[in-house]
Amino acid sequence: VTGPPFLLSSNMGHPSVSLDGTMVYTLLRQANASQLVTVSREGQILETLTGIMQAVSYPAIAPDGNRIAYSARERQNADIYVLDRTTGIRNRLTMSNEENSSPVWIPGTDRIAYTSPSGDCNAIWALNADGTGQTELIVEKASLPSLGPDGRDLVFTTQCSKERGLMRYRIGEDTPPELLR
């Protein structure tokens, strides 16, 4: 990152930037209505990816740069969707009566981690990006996942537990999450 900060848009939220510099964000249109767009480094809208929808949020660009996972409402609760930018096909991955949000791509796999309720609290789950297979519980009492480049460091915020703050969990290891603060 070089140079001084500058304003891209005053009506945006949930930015996601790919390794090649492509940025996608939620463009807030009106009360509870938004859409996904890509923008140039100068802030010009290059491509409108979705129509105006209710509560489009948390876009995440896949490592291949061709797909975008995001959360949106088409009915009462939010679900996770994947949009293929090359074909324009949109696939809804979750179809529960729960609030599903904050998708992130798990590096080195074709899987997505996301936040969804588990009992009285939220948890982080994972599923295949094509919607096949079973959903897997990654960590309980957690939300807002973020993954490191190797896909093994899962950083998240805690919920519903004694320890509150930013936590790190090594996927595939049998150790408890570590509090980072």
Side-chain angles (χ1 to χ4, degrees):
V1 177
T2 60
F6 59 94
L7 181 65
L8 284 178
S9 174
S10 61
N11 59 342
M12 70 176 278
H14 310 110
S16 178
V17 180
S18 70
L19 293 176
D20 72 358
T22 300
M23 182 168 138
V24 61
Y25 65 81
T26 303
L27 182 60
L28 308 172
R29 292 289 189 187
Q30 54 201 2
N32 212 17
S34 51
Q35 66 187 142
L36 291 180
V37 297
T38 59
V39 295
S40 68
R41 293 182 186 272
E42 294 76 35
Q44 300 284 28
I45 294 176
L46 300 175
E47 182 181 9
T48 300
L49 300 171
T50 66
I52 296 175
M53 300 173 69
Q54 184 181 17
V56 175
S57 59
Y58 302 106
I61 301 171
D64 66 15
N66 293 325
R67 294 172 294 163
I68 299 171
Y70 62 95
S71 175
R73 294 178 193 274
E74 282 196 347
R75 41 195 191 98
Q76 186 174 359
N77 297 306
D79 282 305
I80 304 299
Y81 296 82
V82 171
L83 173 68
D84 186 317
R85 294 176 63 197
T86 57
T87 64
I89 295 173
R90 181 180 65 143
N91 187 16
R92 187 168 87 194
L93 300 184
T94 60
M95 297 184 194
S96 67
N97 292 324
E98 308 290 348
E99 287 292 317
N100 302 298
S101 67
S102 312
V104 294
W105 293 87
I106 300 174
T109 72
D110 201 29
R111 294 176 55 79
I112 295 171
Y114 66 99
T115 301
S116 188
S118 175
D120 294 341
C121 197
N122 281 335
I124 297 172
W125 301 82
L127 69 141
N128 294 334
D130 64 3
T132 62
Q134 296 294 313
T135 303
E136 173 191 1
L137 177 65
I138 301 293
V139 66
E140 294 180 328
K141 299 180 180 178
S143 65
L144 300 172
S146 182
L147 284 149
D150 68 358
R152 294 192 59 218
D153 282 327
L154 176 69
V155 178
F156 58 91
T157 59
T158 59
Q159 292 187 330
C160 311
S161 68
K162 282 194 285 183
E163 293 191 84
R164 298 229 179 220
L166 197 59
M167 302 284 285
R168 180 178 72 122
Y169 173 70
R170 294 285 289 172
I171 295 175
E173 292 185 9
D174 196 23
T175 57
E178 165 191 12
L179 182 64
L180 299 175
R181 291 255 181 240

